[in-house]
Amino acid sequence: CLPNCNSVSAESTKDPNSHCMSSLFGAMFGPGTDFKALVTEKDAMIVDVRTPQEYQQGHIAGSKNLPLNEFEKHIPELQAAGVPIIACCASGMRSGSATRSLKAAGITEAYNGGGWASLQRALK
C-alpha cells in the first residue's frame, strides 16, 4: 500500500488491493477534483500535452494543444491567463508532469485531468 493510506484494512474488503488503487489515483489525480465546476465556474483552461498527431485523432473541444516537449516555453502565457489550468494527455502521466511544472512555476490552481477521454466524460 502507499504511505499514509487511510483506507479500510485489507481484511474488511473483498479486494485487498482496491484501497491501494484508490490511494494511488488520489495521489496522481487529486482528491475528487470537480473538473466540470472548474471549467463552468472558474473558466479553467484545458491544456492537452499530447503530440499534435495524437491531438488530431481526438481532443476536448476548446482545449489548447501544448505538447509536453514544448510545454516549458508556454508557461509564461499560461501564468498570464490567470485562470485554473487542467492538463490532460492520453493516460495522465504526461499531464502529471505538466501539472508539476505549472505548480513549480507558481500556478497554484494546476490540475492533472488525466486521460483526455475520461476528462471529456467528466465535463459532460
Side-chain angles (χ1 to χ4, degrees):
C1 193
L2 296 174
N4 302 320
C5 177
N6 296 322
S7 297
V8 296
S9 68
E11 294 80 30
S12 66
T13 181
K14 291 179 184 176
D15 181 358
N17 295 317
S18 66
H19 70 284
C20 294
M21 290 306 294
S22 180
S23 295
L24 175 63
F25 286 118
M28 287 175 59
F29 302 114
T33 303
D34 187 347
F35 295 115
K36 186 174 184 176
L38 283 171
V39 171
T40 59
E41 297 170 15
K42 292 191 166 189
D43 214 19
M45 179 189 306
I46 299 172
V47 177
D48 192 320
V49 298
R50 296 177 297 151
T51 65
Q53 296 79 16
E54 290 174 292
Y55 187 79
Q56 288 172 0
Q57 293 174 0
H59 59 271
I60 296 171
S63 64
K64 187 171 190 148
N65 185 217
L66 300 176
L68 188 60
N69 65 341
E70 304 171 4
F71 189 76
E72 296 287 328
K73 70 181 180 183
H74 293 283
I75 289 178
E77 72 186 70
L78 297 173
Q79 288 171 316
V83 297
I85 308 292
I86 304 170
C88 66
C89 62
S91 68
M93 297 305 289
R94 288 176 283 181
S95 56
S97 178
T99 301
R100 285 188 296 279
S101 294
L102 291 169
K103 288 185 176 190
I107 298 175
T108 57
E109 285 199 274
Y111 303 90
N112 182 356
W116 77 272
S118 61
L119 178 57
Q120 181 171 256
R121 287 189 297 275
L123 295 173
K124 292 189 180 206

